[in-house]
Amino acid sequence: MSKDVKPYKDSEVEKKKQVEQMFDNISGNYDGLNRVITFGIDLKWRKKVIEMVKKTNPKYILDVATGTGDLAIAMADSDAEKIIGLDISAGMLQVGKDKIQKKKLNKRIEMVQADSENLPYPDDTFDAITVAFGVRNFENLDKGLSEIYRVLSPGGLFVILETSVPTKFLFKQGYKVYSNYILPNIGKLFSKDKSAYQYLSESASVFPFGEKFNNILRKVGFTDVENLPQTFGVSTIYSATKK
């Protein structure tokens, strides 16, 4: 990123620990607020990610920065034998575990607390790896992506869903107003952590998107890199494979 954005500006704690604390703080309200701030459109974006993954018929799937497990749970609709949702936040994972328990998916989905920049798996373990709204929270983006590359099997698919900034004038201006003023205020209504949604807005605004992020993926080693802007460019789906 061109600017190092952290959740708590006055804290000297490393970004990784701040992100963990922030998501622990907002975990109870995260799902409901996500639907509100995206007007439910994020469900449509996630569905596209799932369809892309299902086409490759993966047996083992890793969902990095899984949060409360929405994407991991949705991928249970595939023929995958095992789906692992990994996140640094115990609070988010607990919400996800409760949802998995209710859906009786415990045998197929495992929730794991771990650092995305130090994945606890051998090389070439997973046939497909996904990240939804998580890569911009990596403290070291190159390291996190390199770890994902390492544990992805040759020929495996990597799909990322992440926020981006619209490039067309009217949409770009509207996005700035919404992300800088409206989104943080909505977040304050739902969460006691006033810094969290300000951070999510700021981190989105400085994250490299489109061709810039494509080039980062290529530098790490990924091939067949593509980006697919969604809903006027407010989010983007990236796909890439491992040689």
Side-chain angles (χ1 to χ4, degrees):
M1 291 189 198
S2 58
K3 178 184 176 185
D4 187 19
V5 178
K6 299 179 181 179
Y8 308 109
K9 296 179 176 62
D10 296 330
S11 174
E12 295 182 1
V13 175
E14 64 178 352
K15 178 178 178 178
K16 194 176 298 181
K17 288 295 183 183
Q18 289 192 32
V19 168
E20 179 181 1
Q21 178 186 342
M22 180 193 74
F23 280 112
D24 280 347
N25 290 345
I26 66 175
S27 59
N29 299 314
Y30 185 76
D31 284 344
L33 186 50
N34 246 6
R35 300 296 93 81
V36 171
I37 64 178
T38 66
F39 306 105
I41 303 173
D42 65 302
L43 297 174
K44 181 179 178 181
W45 302 333
R46 292 171 199 269
K47 186 176 180 181
K48 289 183 180 181
V49 170
I50 294 161
E51 290 304 315
M52 292 170 71
V53 171
K54 286 172 66 175
K55 286 180 181 178
T56 66
N57 298 312
K59 288 187 177 180
Y60 304 103
I61 301 174
L62 175 65
D63 184 39
V64 176
T66 194
T68 63
D70 274 357
L71 195 59
I73 291 169
M75 285 191 291
D77 184 45
S78 71
D79 294 326
E81 294 177 10
K82 187 71 174 181
I83 301 164
I84 294 176
L86 181 144
D87 202 278
I88 199 170
S89 166
M92 298 287 273
L93 287 169
Q94 187 56 56
V95 175
K97 288 176 182 178
D98 292 342
K99 292 194 289 189
I100 290 166
Q101 178 70 37
K102 289 179 181 177
K103 292 179 179 292
K104 299 184 179 0
L105 291 170
N106 304 66
K107 291 183 179 180
R108 293 187 61 209
I109 303 176
E110 180 184 359
M111 299 294 264
V112 175
Q113 185 177 17
D115 181 359
S116 58
E117 296 170 29
N118 186 22
L119 297 172
Y121 302 105
D123 296 358
D124 308 334
T125 299
F126 299 96
D127 304 306
I129 299 178
T130 56
V131 186
F133 304 115
V135 289
R136 75 179 189 275
N137 297 321
F138 290 179
E139 185 166 46
N140 186 320
L141 181 59
D142 285 353
K143 187 176 180 182
L145 293 175
S146 295
E147 271 293 272
I148 287 170
Y149 184 87
R150 179 183 67 79
V151 301
L152 184 63
S153 297
L157 179 68
F158 179 34
V159 185
I160 307 120
L161 171 60
E162 189 52 86
T163 54
S164 51
V165 179
T167 54
K168 291 185 178 180
F169 178 72
L170 289 177
F171 297 121
K172 185 176 183 178
Q173 297 309 111
Y175 175 84
K176 283 185 177 180
V177 171
Y178 179 73
S179 61
N180 291 338
Y181 302 104
I182 299 174
L183 190 154
N185 284 315
I186 293 174
K188 289 176 185 178
L189 294 175
F190 279 76
S191 173
K192 295 178 181 179
D193 191 329
K194 296 180 180 180
S195 299
Y197 287 89
Q198 186 68 48
Y199 160 76
L200 293 175
S201 174
E202 290 181 9
S203 61
S205 70
V206 301
F207 188 78
F209 65 93
E211 192 60 24
K212 288 183 179 179
F213 189 63
N214 289 349
N215 288 333
I216 294 171
L217 290 169
R218 293 185 185 111
K219 184 178 70 172
V220 170
F222 289 100
T223 59
D224 304 319
V225 178
E226 290 186 287
N227 65 288
L228 305 166
Q230 305 293 310
T231 316
F232 310 115
V234 299
S235 74
T236 300
I237 295 173
Y238 302 86
S239 66
T241 55
K242 179 177 178 177
K243 293 180 183 178

